[in-house]
Amino acid sequence: MASVTIYDVAARAGVSIKTVSRVMNKEPNVRPAMRDRVLEAASALDYSPNLSARSLAGSRSFVIAVFVDAALTIDHWRSERGADYLSRIQLGATLQCRDAGYHLLIELIDHDAPRVRQEVAALLAALKPDGVILTPPSCDNETVLELLDKAGTPYVRLGPERRDGVGPRVHMDDFAAAREMTQHLASLGHRRIGFIVGEPRYGASQARHGGYLDAMKQLDLPVADSWVRQGDFTFQSGLDQAKALLSLPDRPTAIFASNDDMALGCLAAAAELGLMAPGDVSVAGFDDSPSARFSRPQLTTVRQPVVEMASLATRLLISGVIKGSASKGEPLDELLPFELIHRASTAPPPSP
């Protein structure tokens, strides 16, 4: 049986091919009754629009690409803890793409590679995406931003460090969230609060570190150099740095890690050293990943609205709002709220 074509749908619905195309591409200004006729005809004929044909018929590719950091993503998968951040970005973006008839492509970008400029340029030329979602550190990479601007490809930056109007961004206030979590630990009675900084290439790492320092200063609490350790967002770095913190003579009674994977490493370190959490040491994380709810004890953390951020970024790209804001010289700046999630891994410090 021959494949059903757009011509068959047009004939059955009694409309023009152009009308069928507009309905299938979810374009505006199609009367509801006409849209229903076309969709009924397509359903009766079991017709599915061909992505390549749609692309050839117009200027759109119906592809949204997400640029993610190759190094950290591979590290997460190798550690068998999963790349939860990427999974949640995929979920938020995929839901919007599916509703609009778009395809989502995940592209790993190796920012340390000597040929990153050539690779990104070739990627854009081959895919011709209708939009790109930039996750850290792509969202602050000057080479990536330059190539996107040169190609005229709309993009949205998720959680960038740079706030100087370089392209539209969707983000949350990492600084304020870290400050509030530190204040929460202090409100429980903790005075010696350790902190594990995340991957230094990520703007969020510096913002969260800054929020911690700001809260400690406002509360007039000391910050010993030995209480701040450098991690890289992986479970292993959290485990290693927490062991170092918990082996200090004046060890912290609470540890705030810059993400949940490192916080889970802190819980494991406490168990290996024979310490109770939160009896001997409280632990807080950042992200509210699924593992935060399944750990024992369940993890106190900051809920980062990753799904919502990715969903909004995708919706902005598909709707064409990004192109409109660019023509006006007014990059969009969408701030989404965070939430402190109080669970069993934090409690008042042990009695002296």
Side-chain angles (χ1 to χ4, degrees), residues 29-184:
N29 303 321
V30 177
R31 287 184 287 117
M34 187 70 70
R35 187 180 303 276
D36 291 343
R37 280 171 57 187
V38 171
L39 293 176
E40 288 173 5
S43 177
L45 295 172
D46 197 22
Y47 170 75
S48 297
N50 180 278
L51 182 61
S52 298
R54 291 169 67 195
S55 301
L56 290 171
S59 59
R60 288 182 289 172
S61 65
F62 296 94
V63 168
I64 299 294
V66 181
F67 287 4
V68 298
D69 185 24
L72 188 63
T73 301
I74 292 171
D75 283 345
H76 274 285
W77 284 116
R78 284 176 176 168
S79 69
E80 297 184 355
R81 305 209 62 82
D84 176 69
Y85 180 75
L86 174 57
S87 297
R88 287 186 287 163
I89 287 176
Q90 283 182 286
L91 175 61
T94 299
L95 292 174
Q96 294 297 322
C97 285
R98 182 188 63 181
D99 290 343
Y102 276 66
H103 284 224
L104 183 73
L105 295 179
I106 305 297
E107 295 296 336
L108 299 181
I109 305 298
D110 186 354
H111 299 88
D112 297 325
R115 289 178 50 82
V116 64
R117 173 179 291 275
Q118 292 89 333
E119 290 176 2
V120 172
L123 191 66
L124 293 174
L127 293 179
K128 293 183 172 56
D130 289 333
V132 175
I133 298 173
L134 300 174
T135 67
S138 291
C139 56
D140 290 306
N141 187 286
E142 292 186 3
T143 298
V144 173
L145 295 173
E146 175 195 337
L147 291 170
L148 286 166
D149 287 334
K150 183 177 180 180
T153 304
Y155 59 87
V156 176
R157 302 183 299 150
L158 290 191
E161 177 182 12
R162 296 175 62 183
R163 305 188 177 195
D164 53 4
V166 182
R169 65 186 181 126
V170 175
H171 61 113
M172 59 160 282
D173 195 335
D174 290 273
F175 184 95
R179 182 178 58 203
E180 286 193 22
M181 179 59 79
T182 307
Q183 291 169 341
H184 167 65

Side-chain angles (χ1 to χ4, degrees), residues 293-306:
R293 298 187 290 276
F294 299 141
S295 66
R296 290 295 179 268
Q298 290 187 330
L299 190 63
T300 293
T301 187
V302 175
R303 181 181 182 273
Q304 183 177 197
V306 177

